[in-house]
Amino acid sequence: MLAGINRVGDLEWEIPIGYVPGMRVPGRFFLSEALAETLEEGAVRQVANVATMPGIVKHSLAMPDIHWGYGFPIGGVAAFDMTEGVISPGGVGFDINCGVRLITTPLTRADLAGKRRELIERLFAAIPTGVGAKSSLRISNKDLTRVMVDGARWAVERGFGTEADLARCEAEGAMSGADPDAVSSKARQRGVPQLGTLGAGNHFLEVQAVREILDPAAAETFGLKEGQVCFMVHCGSRGLGHQVATDHLRNLEAALSKYRIHLPDRQLACAPIDSPEGRGYYGGMVCAANYAWANRQVIMHEARNVFAKLFGIEYDEMQPVYDVAHNVAKFERHEIDGRLTEVCVHRKGATRAFGPKTLEIPREYAAVGQPVIIPGSMGTPSYLLCGTTTAMQKTWGSTCHGAGRVLSRSKVKKEVLGRDVREQLAGEGIVVRAHSDAAIAEEAPQAYKPSQEVVRVVHEAGLSAIVARLEPLGVIKG
Amino acid sequence: MSFDELEHTADLRLRVRGATLEEIFAEAGRAIFQAMYGRCKDRGVERRIELEAENLESLLFDYLSELLFITDVENLVFCTFDVQIKGTGLTAVLGGEPFDPDRHSGGTLIKGVSYSGLEIRREEEGYVVEIILDV
């Protein structure tokens, strides 16, 4: 472990005040001994930098998928006081509400026999993916405003899904507080042609089978059975979200001197929550988040149609388990010193993991806690977990969002060929389809920490509890 | 003038050098298009950008963000960057071609330009800047 960091529990570490000048609170992160080898000084410094931000409450946190990003580390979580605190695009990222959705089907592995490649090819044909991908959907500027306000509901009202889908989304697929006036015409121009597109990089649609159930009661509540085929959609708010982040980051960077905020990293540019700049960013960010929910809704709809047609099953037999956001700032009520208090929680590359009996989760999940979806990396398993009371107490109801990278894109491309990765995965029975082998190489399983170990840490640290393990059968990559 | 990719776990980190400010702006543009699309040929498509900012770093942020915007909305891929800088104002003429999925879809999507460590430094032989781009 790096010098200057203290161990405060089996899986819990503290970065003391003073690690970088100006820290207001300590940093806290969760990591096993095995994963400690992967910890980068740059990521620790970023946790410490976040601790210098005005109004931060209790700790600057990082989940076990922590890695070096910009501004906040990836896996970073922080809550800010509503009066003294700030809101920052650096705590959300450029891909606002990048998130993941898990959908069950009535199929079993055996039903896919002989059809797996055709299924992946059909999904690849139905869902625009990769750099430069454009949607076949034609929406007007007025439609786009509704998308930004109503999120997934807009898509359902247009026939891309059912009313029941909405309850299975974090925030029911639309946060309140959207301000379309805080979205520039540039962001709109990017948003119109991209609704229903997957994007590129680490975004994917993966077909999976439930390999093992570890918590039968919770699995039953979430509708999962051993051997069952599911699919998972991972994508975000596309160019609209990227532009909202760019525009407001620029705005807030220029406003730092106005609020006399001094930061060790300009990417942490921020403004008081209740300031024109802070409110502007929040209103624009909500628009982008809602766009992302509509985007995943449309993609899920297209995938459902592919499954229905190929396997002769009913559309309604495919139900979302849940849809979680990774990159978002939200106003939430948490217990601080025995009192429920509203704070602004930033999660950048982290997943909400609200525990049992919390108000914001679907009623049918109340006894279990919200579903938490942790994707693997093409060749490694994905997990369904549930939120916990410990997460509510320690991490503002947050957990990790994935495995977390350990190798840069350039390094992994030097070490492996995309073709070899594709062939190796094919040998393991996993069909991968992408526009280029380079895109596959960048996301090769060896570029990531083992998902099994990351999930073990969150489970043993009590930040979420494993419900089921899913194995990949096929994936379309952005 | 040149650009190198530096190690960064999650994103794309570039170091760009140039004898003049114009060169580092041009080279940074070339770098992001190479990362996104690989090959590009000037087939006569031209666009012009004019920008004004309060300092050079913000000008670079705005310029690169504008390139990402144009390529996303107009489906254009650029390979020549003729940049003129006066004070903290910029005029750039971009040359390139329309996006062609068969030739250009093998790259990395860049989502945005970060301010992390963004500082244009004057060195003995010219200018240098490091840029972290979200991919």
Side-chain angles (χ1 to χ4, degrees), chain B residues 40 42-43 45-47 77-81 93-97:
Chain B
C40 167
D42 188 351
R43 293 179 204 265
V45 171
E46 196 177 284
R47 289 291 179 276
V77 180
F78 296 112
C79 38
T80 67
F81 305 85
V93 180
L94 321 169
E97 61 177 325

Side-chain angles (χ1 to χ4, degrees), chain A residues 40 46 67-71 74 93-95 131-132 134 186-187 189-190 194 199-203 238-239 242-243 246 249-250 253-254 265-267 405-411 413 435-436 438-439 442, chain B residues 5-13 36-37 52-55 57-59 61-62 65-66 68-69 71-73 75 99 104-119 132-135:
Chain A
E40 306 141 302
Q46 287 174 338
H67 58 286
W68 187 24
Y70 52 80
I74 295 161
F94 282 91
D95 198 354
V131 177
K134 294 285 181 274
K186 280 184 168 177
Q189 286 176 66
R190 294 177 75 170
Q194 291 184 346
N202 62 350
H203 291 168
R238 309 288 288 111
H242 310 166
Q243 191 69 41
T246 298
L249 172 63
R250 182 71 176 80
E253 208 276 338
D265 179 356
R266 287 157 72 196
Q267 185 64 25
R405 284 192 85 94
V406 282
L407 286 183
S408 67
R409 287 170 167 82
S410 55
K411 197 174 255 178
K413 278 195 282 191
H435 281 293
S436 76
E442 283 188 9
Chain B
E5 190 176 335
L6 306 178
E7 269 304 301
H8 193 281
T9 321
D11 296 307
L12 179 63
R13 182 172 168 225
M36 284 176 74
Y37 302 110
E52 181 71 45
E54 63 272 24
N55 56 55
E57 282 79 12
S58 293
L59 189 66
F61 177 95
D62 289 351
S65 300
E66 188 68 15
L68 294 177
F69 168 73
T71 188
D72 204 21
V73 168
N75 293 323
F99 173 78
H104 298 134
S105 62
T108 304
L109 180 72
I110 294 174
K111 295 173 181 169
V113 184
S114 94
Y115 268 107
S116 258
L118 190 69
E119 184 191 356
I132 297 178
L133 302 151
D134 184 316
V135 296

Side-chain angles (χ1 to χ4, degrees), chain A residues 6 12 19 52 76 93 127 139 164 214 226 241 252 255 290 303 340 369 385 391 408 422 433 435 443 463:
Chain A
N6 306 320
E12 209 168 328
Y19 189 88
T52 68
I127 296 157
I139 62 167
L214 293 111
E226 205 158 304
L252 292 169
N290 292 346
L340 268 184
L385 303 90
S408 67
R422 185 161 43 77
R433 187 71 165 86
H435 281 293
E443 295 297 317
L463 304 183

Side-chain angles (χ1 to χ4, degrees), chain A residues 260-285:
Chain A
R260 295 191 180 85
I261 297 172
H262 303 285
L263 299 165
D265 179 356
R266 287 157 72 196
Q267 185 64 25
L268 294 173
C270 54
I273 295 165
D274 191 15
S275 66
E277 294 85 355
R279 286 193 300 271
Y281 172 64
Y282 183 77
M285 181 209 66

Side-chain angles (χ1 to χ4, degrees), chain A residues 125-128 133-139 192-197 298 302:
Chain A
I127 296 157
K134 294 285 181 274
S135 174
S136 55
L137 220 62
R138 293 284 165 264
I139 62 167
V192 164
Q194 291 184 346
L195 192 65
T197 63
V298 171
E302 297 297 347

